[in-house]
C-alpha cells in the first residue's frame, strides 16, 4: 500500500520521495533539538538523505511529507509503517522538523488527518506508537488524540542526555473521537 496525496484544513500530505531532498531537511535531522527523542538523526548528509528517500520510495508504505497549504513549505513527515494486516494495526510516527512552525497545531492536525485516513479508508482498527516518556509535548498530543498507554519500557536508552523510559501507546478505532 502506497501513500496517496491527502489534505487537511491547512496542510497537504504528499508521498515522501526524493523530491523532498533539501539542505533544510538534512538540517532538521542534524538539529539536536529536533532529533533529541528520535532513534535516528545526527551526522546526516545530502547523500545519506537521498539514499534514505530512495529506499523509502521503493517500499510499499504510508509515508508522507507534511506541507503548508499557503506556501507549500515542507515542515515535517508522518507515517504509518509497518502495517500488520493480520492484526489490522499500523505503527505511527511523526517528525515536525521545521521549528518555526512548532506550537501551531500542525502536528495534531496532521495526526488526525492521517489517523482518520487509516481508520476510514485503510480500515485499520488500531494505531500504535512508541514515544520517549520525557517527550512531554508528544505524550500530551497523543493523549489528546485518544492514545492510551499500554506499556512502560524502562531504561530503553539515552535520550536528551538521560537514561529514559519508552511508552507504548495505542488508539483503537472504537475509542477514537474525531
Amino acid at each position: 500500500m502506497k501513500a496517496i496525496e491527502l489534505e487537511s484544513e491547512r496542510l497537504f500530505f504528499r508521498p515522501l520521495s526524493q523530491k523532498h531532498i533539501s539542505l533544510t531537511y538534512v538540517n532538521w535531522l542534524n538539529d539536536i533539538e529536533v532529533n533529541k527523542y528520535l532513534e535516528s538523526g545526527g551526522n546526516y548528509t545530502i547523500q545519506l538523505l537521498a539514499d534514505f528517500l530512495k529506499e523509502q520510495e521503493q517500499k510499499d508504505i504510508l509515508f508522507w511529507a507534511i506541507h503548508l497549504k499557503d506556501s507549500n513549505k515542507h515542515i515535517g513527515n508522518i507515517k504509518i509503517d509497518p502495517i500488520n494486516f493480520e492484526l489490522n494495526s499500523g505503527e505511527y510516527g511523526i517528525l515536525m522538523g521545521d521549528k518555526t512552525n512548532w506550537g501551531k497545531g500542525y502536528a495534531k492536525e496532521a495526526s488526525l488527518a492521517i489517523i482518520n485516513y487509516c481508520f476510514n479508508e485503510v480500515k485499520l482498527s488500531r494505531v500504535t506508537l512508541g514515544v520517549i516518556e520525557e517527550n512531554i509535548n508528544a505524550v500530551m498530543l497523543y493523549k489528546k488524540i485518544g492514545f492510551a498507554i499500554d506499556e512502560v519500557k524502562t531504561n530503553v536508552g539515552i535520550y536528551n542526555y538521560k537514561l529514559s523510559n519508552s511508552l507504548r501507546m495505542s488508539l483503537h478505532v472504537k475509542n477514537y473521537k474525531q
Side-chain angles (χ1 to χ4, degrees):
M1 171 168 290
K2 289 270 194 195
I4 62 169
E5 289 201 13
L6 299 169
E7 66 179 274
S8 60
E9 182 183 341
R10 301 177 294 165
L11 303 170
F12 284 123
F13 306 96
R14 297 198 172 99
L16 190 68
S17 71
Q18 293 179 77
K19 295 175 188 169
H20 294 96
I21 297 168
S22 71
L23 189 54
T24 300
Y25 191 169
V26 170
N27 289 339
W28 297 344
L29 297 172
N30 292 328
D31 186 316
I32 57 169
E33 199 174 0
V34 172
N35 71 35
K36 69 181 166 184
Y37 296 114
L38 300 178
E39 291 178 14
S40 61
N43 299 319
Y44 257 79
T45 63
I46 287 282
Q47 187 58 55
L48 285 174
L49 177 60
D51 293 345
F52 170 76
L53 292 176
K54 182 178 182 183
E55 180 182 312
Q56 299 311 303
E57 239 178 332
Q58 293 170 353
K59 292 181 181 177
D60 209 16
I61 60 174
L62 299 177
F63 203 170
W64 293 270
I66 304 167
H67 291 264
L68 297 176
K69 274 187 176 178
D70 64 2
S71 65
N72 200 34
K73 184 178 186 182
H74 179 203
I75 62 168
N77 302 327
I78 189 166
K79 68 178 180 171
I80 304 291
D81 178 58
I83 292 177
N84 181 327
F85 287 103
E86 286 180 24
L87 297 175
N88 220 21
S89 178
E91 181 78 4
Y92 161 100
I94 190 168
L95 165 71
M96 296 304 292
D98 184 357
K99 293 189 297 188
T100 65
N101 282 293
W102 285 5
K104 296 181 180 178
Y106 293 129
K108 182 178 182 184
E109 183 176 333
S111 298
L112 291 172
I114 296 306
I115 290 167
N116 283 337
Y117 173 75
C118 287
F119 284 158
N120 297 323
E121 303 301 323
V122 181
K123 302 299 185 192
L124 295 181
S125 58
R126 186 172 78 132
V127 174
T128 59
L129 64 85
V131 62
I132 298 303
E133 191 171 39
E134 284 84 19
N135 191 347
I136 303 299
N137 290 338
V139 173
M140 285 182 358
L141 169 65
Y142 304 147
K143 286 181 176 179
K144 279 183 198 171
I145 290 171
F147 282 89
I149 297 171
D150 297 324
E151 180 184 4
V152 178
K153 294 183 178 184
T154 56
N155 303 326
V156 295
I158 305 292
Y159 293 88
N160 202 24
Y161 309 106
K162 179 181 174 190
L163 188 58
S164 301
N165 297 335
S166 174
L167 305 177
R168 290 296 306 160
M169 301 178 81
S170 66
L171 175 60
H172 295 264
V173 69
K174 66 183 182 221
N175 300 331
Y176 181 59
K177 296 168 187 70
Q178 299 177 40

